[in-house]
Amino acid sequence: MSTLSYQAIFSERTLNGRELTANGVKAKFEVHDLNFWYGPSQALFDIHLIVPERSVLALIGPSGCGKSTFLRSLNRMNDLIDNTRHTGELLLDGFDIYRRGIDLVDLRRRVGMVFQKSNPFPKTVYENVVFGPRVAGVRDKAFLQETVERCLKQAALWDEIKDRLHDSALDLSGGQQQRLCIARALATDPEVLLMDEPASALDPASTARIEDLIFELKRNYTIVIVTHNMQQAARVSDQTAFFFQGKLIEVGSTDQMFTRPTVPQTEDYITGRFG
């Protein structure tokens, strides 16, 4: 499905100012005509994309095509890089996240990030999970303990490490560290999780656990994941968006994208003819 035809599947109906997809699902993000530059170099060109609420969107495409730049735009992580700029609109629940005066701390609480390389803090498992709530001013010990248990259970990690909460997080396996980072992100009660190749450095068993976790989390969260693994995109996502050279080439339901892509370039990439 081309970008233009993708826009056509959305009706003009709105709910409290939020766009609805054709099947009546609320749009969590609405991206309109997004362009992005690193200094003089343009990285994204006229991106129009709608991310439905409580779904998984996979971003695919060759290295350097703009996937991670787009992902980081969704919680303004690119602001941490000097000499960047953008044009266009990026709406979260109908409100432009680039509007003047927005609270970036609150934005990044609502839109959490899990990076490619697991990055637990050099603290205990417990201290990693409660870091966000403590920064927000939470001091109630019972609440923090409940938060640790809840988030580790959500991250499918509680049963494995419930007796190691006061051990160093750096002593965990790679797969456990990545799930701990997910638990840490969940502790701030986000609405969206952004995942930048979260399983690329993991063994197959740990990758399977992360994928199972994504499937469970989408019941309550909107997830956008960058992946180079076509099989992973097919397994975990509801929608897939194909980027190439900073442009959104095609986006649609994952089933349709992997079986009946409408753009030949998409089929060439998915079938391994280039990439």
Side-chain angles (χ1 to χ4, degrees):
M1 182 181 302
S2 69
T3 303
L4 288 177
S5 62
Y6 175 74
Q7 295 179 43
I9 72 171
F10 293 99
S11 72
E12 296 180 354
R13 294 172 300 154
T14 61
L15 178 65
N16 298 326
R18 295 170 61 185
E19 191 164 355
L20 297 180
T21 63
N23 61 3
V25 178
K26 296 177 186 176
K28 192 63 177 177
F29 279 107
E30 303 166 47
V31 182
H32 302 291
D33 301 318
L34 177 66
N35 296 273
F36 190 89
W37 290 263
Y38 295 103
S41 177
Q42 188 167 358
L44 295 175
F45 297 82
D46 301 320
I47 305 298
H48 179 99
L49 182 62
I50 293 174
V51 183
E53 191 172 56
R54 297 186 182 182
S55 65
V56 180
L57 169 68
L59 309 179
I60 64 172
S63 297
C65 69
K67 305 184 302 295
S68 292
T69 295
F70 176 77
L71 188 78
R72 292 192 302 265
S73 296
L74 297 176
N75 70 349
R76 292 185 54 173
M77 288 291 289
N78 289 323
D79 289 15
L80 302 175
I81 302 172
D82 291 337
N83 199 24
T84 60
R85 63 187 179 92
H86 86 287
T87 61
E89 282 189 323
L90 207 164
L91 308 180
L92 172 63
D93 290 340
F95 295 94
D96 190 350
I97 68 171
Y98 282 91
R99 68 188 183 277
R100 181 173 298 181
I102 189 172
D103 185 339
L104 289 179
V105 173
D106 184 63
L107 172 65
R108 291 169 187 156
R109 178 197 65 76
R110 295 177 64 194
V111 186
M113 187 90 174
V114 178
F115 296 93
Q116 178 177 3
K117 188 178 185 300
S118 59
N119 59 343
F121 301 141
K123 300 174 180 286
T124 67
V125 169
Y126 181 94
E127 292 296 333
N128 266 268
V129 180
V130 302
F131 181 83
R134 279 188 169 159
V135 168
V138 177
R139 296 292 180 267
D140 185 284
K141 290 183 178 180
F143 178 82
L144 292 174
Q145 181 64 39
E146 185 278 331
T147 297
V148 170
E149 182 172 349
R150 172 177 59 84
C151 293
L152 289 177
K153 283 181 176 177
Q154 284 183 288
L157 195 55
W158 175 255
D159 289 339
E160 296 177 32
I161 63 170
K162 61 185 177 182
D163 297 323
R164 302 173 61 189
L165 299 183
H166 299 291
D167 292 351
S168 172
L170 302 181
D171 292 338
L172 301 179
S173 70
Q176 289 174 330
Q177 287 186 15
Q178 189 66 299
R179 282 181 285 153
L180 177 61
C181 291
I182 293 172
R184 188 176 66 197
L186 295 175
T188 62
D189 291 325
E191 302 160 31
V192 180
L193 283 177
L194 309 178
M195 297 184 168
D196 195 352
E197 297 190 71
S200 64
L202 302 180
D203 60 83
S206 296
T207 296
R209 291 191 184 98
I210 294 291
E211 292 180 3
D212 290 343
L213 176 57
I214 291 170
F215 187 80
E216 291 297 320
L217 289 175
K218 77 173 183 178
R219 297 177 181 178
N220 297 306
Y221 303 93
T222 301
I223 298 173
V224 184
I225 178 173
V226 169
T227 180
H228 281 286
N229 186 320
M230 295 301 97
Q231 291 76 24
Q232 182 175 82
R235 287 192 296 263
V236 305
S237 67
D238 302 293
Q239 290 188 312
T240 297
F242 170 51
F243 283 74
F244 184 71
Q245 295 183 345
K247 298 178 181 179
L248 177 59
I249 304 301
E250 183 172 3
V251 59
S253 74
T254 296
D255 287 344
Q256 176 261 314
M257 286 278 286
F258 278 83
T259 59
R260 302 179 308 281
T262 61
V263 179
Q265 193 174 24
T266 306
E267 182 175 6
D268 288 345
Y269 180 75
I270 288 174
T271 56
R273 293 193 182 108
F274 77 96

